[in-house]
Amino acid sequence: MPTCMAVLLLSLMSLMSAAPAAASGCWWMDNRFNTYHEESLELLDQMAANATVDMENPVAFPRHVYERATKASAEVRLALVVQVLQEVEDLFDQKNTSSSLWDERTLDNFLNIIHEEKNNLQSCMDRMQQKSGNSKGKNRKLGLYFKRLSRCLLEGKQDSTEAWEMIRKEVRMHLFQATQLIPSKTFK
């Protein structure tokens, strides 16, 4: 009997060591993030209004923030993605979207997914920071961009349909750019 137990124990140990390690060390990011991210983009596309946007966005997209982040550590990249999700959530939660032509259920589903992504990536980031002992702050330029976006488009246009459509397009670009920062191969 003891040899049977030893063989069973050795078999279990070899199976566990042969299992592939998660690329990021974060199960949710490796197994669920892409599904949630694709769903958030799909919902944003469904929200596209029939309104044509004739206005030009007065707030320049912060490409330099994303370009710099591509050269940063995995922790900094992940912190930026979490911040983008928080800024998007705040942008939609603080404002009256009634002037948009969006289906309320679709908007709620989108915000729920963004919230779930943010919370789960925050947990991944917290674990990474615990391991490294580093703590990453928010990107000030990105925060200022979202404040200007809200002020210029929503407060200046009194929550017009065109302003919300412009914001939807901007948010889609941010979500796309943010995803480019976290390919799982960077989290080894």
Side-chain angles (χ1 to χ4, degrees):
M1 272 304 197
T3 52
C4 228
M5 273 304 241
V7 169
L8 182 62
L9 185 60
L10 285 171
S11 297
L12 283 173
M13 288 174 66
S14 68
L15 280 174
M16 289 173 53
S17 65
S24 69
C26 179
W27 182 89
W28 191 87
M29 191 173 356
D30 294 333
N31 296 289
R32 302 293 297 176
F33 175 76
N34 283 337
T35 303
Y36 276 69
H37 176 70
E38 288 170 13
E39 179 69 17
S40 68
L41 292 177
E42 190 175 301
L43 288 167
L44 266 179
D45 290 344
Q46 288 175 20
M47 291 163 52
N50 292 331
T52 55
V53 179
D54 291 333
M55 61 191 249
E56 190 173 313
N57 187 352
V59 184
F61 189 81
R63 293 190 196 293
H64 61 284
V65 170
Y66 292 102
E67 288 167 2
R68 264 194 208 144
T70 60
K71 299 172 184 121
S73 69
E75 289 173 55
V76 170
R77 292 167 137 192
L78 187 55
L80 187 69
V81 173
V82 170
Q83 182 181 352
V84 166
L85 294 169
Q86 181 65 58
E87 297 283 0
V88 167
E89 189 176 37
D90 291 347
L91 183 63
F92 284 94
D93 277 350
Q94 294 177 2
K95 300 294 178 184
N96 178 7
T97 58
S98 64
S99 64
S100 72
L101 299 177
W102 302 331
D103 176 65
E104 195 172 321
R105 179 190 259 173
T106 305
L107 177 60
D108 287 343
N109 288 341
F110 170 73
L111 289 173
N112 287 335
I113 287 174
I114 293 295
H115 183 75
E116 189 73 20
E117 282 182 287
K118 180 196 64 156
N119 286 344
N120 283 294
L121 289 177
Q122 179 70 51
S123 294
C124 293
M125 187 176 74
D126 291 345
R127 281 191 294 263
M128 287 177 72
Q129 289 177 349
Q130 283 176 341
K131 287 179 184 178
S132 71
N134 294 330
S135 180
K136 304 298 173 210
K138 292 191 175 210
N139 183 297
R140 193 174 68 81
K141 289 182 180 183
L142 187 66
L144 290 172
Y145 164 82
F146 274 97
K147 283 180 183 163
R148 281 192 314 271
L149 186 68
S150 176
R151 189 181 68 242
C152 291
L153 289 178
L154 296 177
E155 293 167 17
K157 302 290 182 188
Q158 296 164 353
D159 296 338
S160 73
T161 302
E162 284 184 334
W164 278 114
E165 183 59 17
M166 178 72 69
I167 285 177
R168 186 196 66 79
K169 288 180 177 184
E170 288 288 305
V171 164
R172 193 177 199 302
M173 285 193 302
H174 280 286
L175 294 179
F176 179 78
Q177 289 293 321
T179 315
Q180 302 305 306
L181 296 177
I182 58 168
S184 53
K185 65 183 175 221
T186 63
F187 293 95
K188 292 184 181 176

